[in-house]
């Protein structure tokens, strides 16, 4: 086999492998969403929720709700955090509540881990009450859940028909700013970006840790600072989802054994297709360089 033929064969093999991996990664996953459309993963996924702070005069609790079969409604299945009183110290600091004072959890920990089961649809739901323990408003992170017949609002803060038409966004997701000492609007505080710009999270954001914050419609201020938690993929989830693969090359040397054991590397799938494509091309270049070195070391015949 001539050098030119070998180079062509190697280039075609590397390009074919790169294209195959690129196309497989570009294929959409079966299901992932985390935002106002709901929460869904394509595998069982553990998420850590850490309480940050609450504000406002309502006494609230944060729940995980799961869609019923056929999305005909939903059920509240896990309470993450709840307020034992509306705030730490009355109206001080805009009715601020902190963990260990006004806020606690069923196990006493400020971080709760919840396992979202594969392909199930969930949402976060904030209950607010006047201290009786009976909710008089439900503020759902998912506008889809708000369109469910299970959702209701006992006061005039929400008009159900309006929510059925346009949805009522009551939670923001992402790298947004909150200013507890300002009466300015959420949109102005975030440089003109309104709540709609913070309607979903990516897996990368969940891996690094990100905020979710609710507005409870109190005072009709839409400041989205009434109940805030930090959200992050649990470490064991990140370990399970980091998939490592071995890639091997055959150097097409004399003997035509095609054993594909002449050059091997362990590679971890990167989140971006371009990154993987560049990595595979780089591996191909390394393999070609290795073959060149081996040929240079062979004795003249």
């Amino acid at each position: 086999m001539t050098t030119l033929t070998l180079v062509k064969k190697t280039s075609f093999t590397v390009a074919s492998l790169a294209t195959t991996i690129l196309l497989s990664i570009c294929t959409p996953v079966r299901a992932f969403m985390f935002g106002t459309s709901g929460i869904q993963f394509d595998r069982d996924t553990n998420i850590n929720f850490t309480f940050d702070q609450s504000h406002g005069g309502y006494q609230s609790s944060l729940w995980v709700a799961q869609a019923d079969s056929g999305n005909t409604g939903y059920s509240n299945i896990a309470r993450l955090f709840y307020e034992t009183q509306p705030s730490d110290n009355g109206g001080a600091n805009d009715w601020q509540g902190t963990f260990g004072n006004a806020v606690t959890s069923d196990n006493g920990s400020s971080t709760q881990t919840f396992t979202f089961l594969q392909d199930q649809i969930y949402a976060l739901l904030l209950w607010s009450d006047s201290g009786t323990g009976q909710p008089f408003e439900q503020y759902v992170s998912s506008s889809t859940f708000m369109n469910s017949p299970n959702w209701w609002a006992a006061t005039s803060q929400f008009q159900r028909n309006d929510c059925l038409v346009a949805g009522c966004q009551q939670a923001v997701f992402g790298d947004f700013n909150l200013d507890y000492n300002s009466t300015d609007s959420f949109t102005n505080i975030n440089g003109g970006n309104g709540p709609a710009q913070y309607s979903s999270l990516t897996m990368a954001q969940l891996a690094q840790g990100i905020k979710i914050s609710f507005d409870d419609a109190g005072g009709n201020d839409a400041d989205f600072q009434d109940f805030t938690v930090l959200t992050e993929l649990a470490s064991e989830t990140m370990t399970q989802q980091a998939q490592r693969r071995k890639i091997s090359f055959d150097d097409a040397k004399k003997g035509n054994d095609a054993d594909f054991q002449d050059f091997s590397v362990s590679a971890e799938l990167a989140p971006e297709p371009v990154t993987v494509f560049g990595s595979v091309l780089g591996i191909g270049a390394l393999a070609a360089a290795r073959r060149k070195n081996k040929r240079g070391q062979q004795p003249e015949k």
Side-chain angles (χ1 to χ4, degrees), residues 6 26 35 61 64 69 71 76 79 94 100 115-116 135-136 144 170 176 199 203 213-214 220 230 248 251 275 277 291:
L6 179 59
C26 288
S61 57
V64 175
S69 177
N71 293 329
N76 301 307
R79 183 170 65 173
D94 190 25
T115 301
F116 292 91
F136 63 86
T144 303
Q170 292 305 124
F176 50 81
S199 60
M203 285 295 288
S213 194
F214 278 82
N220 199 29
L230 305 178
S248 295
D251 64 5
T275 303
F277 186 76
R291 287 193 297 272

Side-chain angles (χ1 to χ4, degrees), residues 263 265 281-291 293:
F263 189 84
V265 294
L281 291 180
I283 292 168
L286 287 173
R290 183 174 181 272
R291 287 193 297 272
N293 290 336

Side-chain angles (χ1 to χ4, degrees), residues 1-215:
M1 181 180 297
T2 66
T3 301
L4 179 59
T5 302
L6 179 59
V7 170
K8 287 182 177 180
K9 180 179 179 181
T10 301
S11 300
F12 178 79
T13 301
V14 172
S16 298
L17 179 60
T19 302
T20 300
I21 295 178
L22 180 61
L23 291 176
S24 66
I25 292 174
C26 288
T27 302
V29 295
R30 285 184 298 157
F32 167 73
M33 58 182 177
F34 203 114
T36 55
S37 295
I39 299 172
Q40 186 178 26
F41 294 92
D42 63 356
R43 70 194 72 188
D44 292 358
T45 302
N46 295 329
I47 298 291
N48 291 334
F49 295 95
T50 301
F51 181 80
D52 182 29
Q53 55 188 300
S54 66
H55 289 268
Y58 289 165
Q59 187 167 322
S60 303
S61 57
L62 184 65
W63 292 71
V64 175
Q66 180 177 330
D68 296 337
S69 177
N71 293 329
T72 55
Y74 60 85
S75 303
N76 301 307
I77 58 174
R79 183 170 65 173
L80 300 177
F81 306 104
Y82 64 96
E83 291 183 308
T84 57
Q85 57 190 38
S87 66
D88 292 350
N89 185 24
N93 300 317
D94 190 25
W95 296 83
Q96 182 181 31
T98 59
F99 196 87
N101 294 303
V103 183
T104 189
S105 63
D106 291 340
N107 64 4
S109 173
S110 61
T111 297
Q112 299 297 308
T113 301
F114 183 82
T115 301
F116 292 91
L117 300 180
Q118 175 182 326
D119 295 335
Q120 295 292 316
I121 299 175
Y122 301 86
L124 299 177
L125 184 145
L126 190 72
W127 285 7
S128 293
D129 64 59
S130 57
T132 64
Q134 298 299 316
F136 63 86
E137 291 280 17
Q138 297 185 26
Y139 306 100
V140 194
S141 66
S142 166
S143 297
T144 303
F145 275 40
M146 258 188 183
N147 291 338
S148 162
N150 287 30
W151 178 81
W152 55 275
T155 73
S156 60
Q157 295 287 353
F158 287 113
Q159 296 297 320
R160 178 172 174 76
N161 289 340
D162 293 339
C163 289
L164 287 173
V165 173
C168 295
Q169 185 175 348
Q170 292 305 124
V172 287
F173 304 76
D175 190 17
F176 50 81
N177 296 315
L178 297 175
D179 188 344
Y180 300 103
N181 298 313
S182 173
T183 58
D184 208 352
S185 69
F186 177 89
T187 300
N188 288 340
I189 290 173
N190 285 278
N193 293 321
Q197 277 68 53
Y198 302 96
S199 60
S200 63
L201 298 177
T202 65
M203 285 295 288
Q205 288 176 306
L206 286 173
Q208 71 181 12
I210 206 74
K211 289 182 297 186
I212 301 174
S213 194
F214 278 82
D215 184 77

